[in-house]
Amino acid sequence: MNQPISERVRWTTADLELFPDNGNRYEIIDGELFVTKAHHWKHQKTCVRISTSLDNWSQTTGLGEVVIAPGIIFGDNDNVIPDVVWASNERLPLLLDEGGHLTGAPELVVEVLSAGSENEKRDRELKLKLYSSRGVREYWIADWRKQQVEVYRREQANLKLVATLFNGDELSSPILPNFTCAIAQLFN
């Protein structure tokens, strides 16, 4: 007797409207639904430190804007909420829809690792592939437990790991002229 082949449920952006506003974070990557709970205090503190550093630089240079936890709607099957994004003033108007949502790749995306192997795998593998395929120019993965930042930069058509920075190091980027930030400052 043949077993019926069941199709995998594919979630869409429209499905997100059906979920309750209960403090959970709902993301869709390649049609798969991911639900995460509220983050650890130090996770959130790291997000604030990174965004503050980027915001101070952005206000000084006038080159772009930084936002914490914006949704990025890449399409029906890819709708994510990165921890921090930075977009240039030139690119930002092209990314925002009428509702003020990002619909394309900002230049920089930052994810701060959450506890759990599933969360880490999502940020290191699924989101890395998604951001790479959608044109993000730089991707930082911050780990507040290890006090390190991995920097991925676009080389040819993919994001590649170019540096792992630790407590004594300085973070800088070719897409952020004259931006520097001490790694230790992000985790204290």
Side-chain angles (χ1 to χ4, degrees), residues 59-135:
Q59 288 190 42
T60 300
T61 64
L63 294 177
E65 295 183 23
V66 65
V67 176
I68 294 178
I72 303 178
I73 304 167
F74 287 119
D76 277 348
N77 296 319
D78 293 306
N79 187 327
V80 293
I81 305 171
D83 291 313
V84 180
V85 303
W86 181 87
S88 68
N89 289 333
E90 293 78 30
R91 188 143 173 74
L92 191 57
L94 305 172
L95 301 176
L96 291 174
D97 66 12
E98 304 80 39
H101 303 104
L102 292 173
T103 58
E107 283 91 340
L108 172 64
V109 173
V110 182
E111 294 286 359
V112 177
L113 293 178
S114 297
S117 60
E118 284 184 33
N119 292 326
E120 189 168 326
K121 182 176 181 172
R122 182 174 57 249
D123 288 346
R124 292 186 183 282
E125 295 177 24
L126 295 177
K127 286 189 174 182
L128 174 62
K129 288 177 190 173
L130 176 65
Y131 297 148
S132 188
S133 71
R134 296 300 184 144

Side-chain angles (χ1 to χ4, degrees), residues 152-165:
Y152 294 80
R153 290 200 181 113
R154 182 159 296 285
E155 291 181 5
Q156 286 106 30
N158 293 308
L159 290 169
K160 302 280 187 194
L161 180 64
V162 295
T164 301
L165 305 173

Side-chain angles (χ1 to χ4, degrees):
M1 176 163 25
N2 289 342
Q3 293 283 358
I5 298 172
S6 62
E7 268 189 51
R8 174 176 84 113
V9 173
R10 293 191 56 83
W11 297 90
T12 68
T13 297
D15 293 325
L16 293 179
E17 301 296 323
L18 304 174
F19 291 108
D21 187 7
N22 58 7
N24 286 338
R25 231 172 143 163
Y26 301 96
E27 299 179 297
I28 298 171
I29 301 174
D30 191 27
E32 188 172 343
L33 178 67
F34 296 90
V35 182
T36 54
K37 302 274 185 209
H39 295 293
H40 190 283
W41 177 269
K42 289 187 177 183
H43 175 282
Q44 296 302 82
K45 185 176 166 184
T46 301
C47 292
V48 169
R49 293 274 171 88
I50 291 169
S51 65
T52 299
S53 185
L54 286 166
D55 191 50
N56 289 340
W57 175 84
S58 293
Q59 288 190 42
T60 300
T61 64
L63 294 177
E65 295 183 23
V66 65
V67 176
I68 294 178
I72 303 178
I73 304 167
F74 287 119
D76 277 348
N77 296 319
D78 293 306
N79 187 327
V80 293
I81 305 171
D83 291 313
V84 180
V85 303
W86 181 87
S88 68
N89 289 333
E90 293 78 30
R91 188 143 173 74
L92 191 57
L94 305 172
L95 301 176
L96 291 174
D97 66 12
E98 304 80 39
H101 303 104
L102 292 173
T103 58
E107 283 91 340
L108 172 64
V109 173
V110 182
E111 294 286 359
V112 177
L113 293 178
S114 297
S117 60
E118 284 184 33
N119 292 326
E120 189 168 326
K121 182 176 181 172
R122 182 174 57 249
D123 288 346
R124 292 186 183 282
E125 295 177 24
L126 295 177
K127 286 189 174 182
L128 174 62
K129 288 177 190 173
L130 176 65
Y131 297 148
S132 188
S133 71
R134 296 300 184 144
V136 169
R137 291 183 53 198
E138 196 158 303
Y139 179 39
W140 300 347
I141 298 176
D143 186 336
W144 57 268
R145 287 171 192 82
K146 293 181 181 177
Q147 298 196 357
Q148 72 180 34
V149 176
E150 295 171 0
V151 177
Y152 294 80
R153 290 200 181 113
R154 182 159 296 285
E155 291 181 5
Q156 286 106 30
N158 293 308
L159 290 169
K160 302 280 187 194
L161 180 64
V162 295
T164 301
L165 305 173
F166 300 95
N167 235 343
D169 296 326
E170 292 267 324
L171 177 59
S172 63
S173 169
I175 64 171
L176 307 169
N178 300 315
F179 170 83
T180 59
C181 176
I183 294 297
Q185 173 186 328
L186 301 177
F187 302 112
N188 290 336

